[in-house]
Amino acid sequence: MLTSLFFFFLFSSVTTAKTHRFVKTVSPSSLGLDQPQKLSHLHFFLHDVVAGTNQTAVRVAAAPATEKSPTMFGAVVMMDDPLTELPDAASAVVGRAQGIYASASTSELGFLMAMNFVFTEGKYNGSSLAVLGRNTVQSAVREMPVVGGSGLFRFARGYATAKTHYFGLLEAVVEYNVYVFHY
Ligand SMILES: *[C@@H]1O[C@H](CO)[C@@H](O)[C@H](O)[C@H]1NC(C)=O
Ligand SMILES: *[C@@H]1O[C@H](CO)[C@@H](O)[C@H](O)[C@H]1NC(C)=O
């Protein structure tokens, strides 16, 4: 009885591919994906303000051992940082970096970055890029993968490099160069 049931399931899974009503194959052209991909280079400055009246990054969690850790291991910070065209915070705002950075290394200052760049300029207004990567903030240049996007950046893939432009008590200004393939 058990053996015949076993063979029944074995055969049914091999011979009849189960059809699912919630998923179907469509042609790439139905989404305009038969076009060649574009490669875009985005350049902007991120302002991470950790204190003061215009604070844009707040620590939301930490472990009991975080204060004793030289790398702040375990600290989790939520940010909504403005992105500007130039290093000056008063220059044109092109979007925001919204997400989390968390100290994920016990041996150096290394953050796990999980953030969305959300753009607000012109035709890019509302489009976003999702970044998930490692940010060793004391390195001259850090590279993080761009794992996806929305709006004009649907199907985006690429990478971002971050370079500290200014580091002060209240604020860090980070220069970003982002290269993404998208349609
Ligand atoms: C906070 O932002 C306001 C408005 O942009 C600005 O006038 C003010 O100088 C900023 N304060 C600080 C401490 O940067
Ligand atoms: C971006 O889109 C939002 C929502 O649609 C709108 O309120 C805002 O005015 C737009 N901003 C720009 C700069 O076009």
Side-chain angles (χ1 to χ4, degrees), residues 48-161:
D48 193 54
V49 186
V50 297
T53 46
N54 297 334
Q55 187 172 5
T56 61
V58 292
R59 186 190 281 204
V60 293
T66 298
E67 294 312 325
K68 292 195 199 88
S69 162
T71 63
M72 297 189 300
F73 181 63
V76 179
V77 178
M78 184 72 72
M79 67 174 153
D80 183 4
D81 289 348
L83 307 174
T84 58
E85 225 167 68
L86 300 172
D88 183 355
S91 65
V93 174
V94 299
R96 306 193 73 88
Q98 299 177 333
I100 288 171
Y101 59 91
S103 176
S105 171
T106 54
S107 59
E108 64 185 319
L109 211 47
F111 292 120
L112 161 72
M113 308 292 290
M115 64 177 168
N116 292 304
F117 291 137
V118 191
F119 300 98
T120 48
E121 267 282 286
K123 68 172 181 173
Y124 295 99
N125 189 13
S127 293
S128 69
L129 289 171
V131 174
L132 180 66
R134 179 168 178 267
N135 188 2
T136 50
V137 291
Q138 283 166 323
S139 308
V141 180
R142 295 84 71 182
E143 181 177 329
M144 291 161 256
V146 174
V147 296
S150 72
L152 287 184
F153 294 121
R154 280 178 188 169
F155 292 97
R157 268 186 173 275
Y159 69 95
T161 59

Side-chain angles (χ1 to χ4, degrees), residues 12-13 15-24:
S12 60
S13 62
T15 54
T16 58
K18 194 170 176 341
T19 55
H20 299 285
R21 254 183 297 187
F22 73 96
V23 49
K24 63 179 179 181

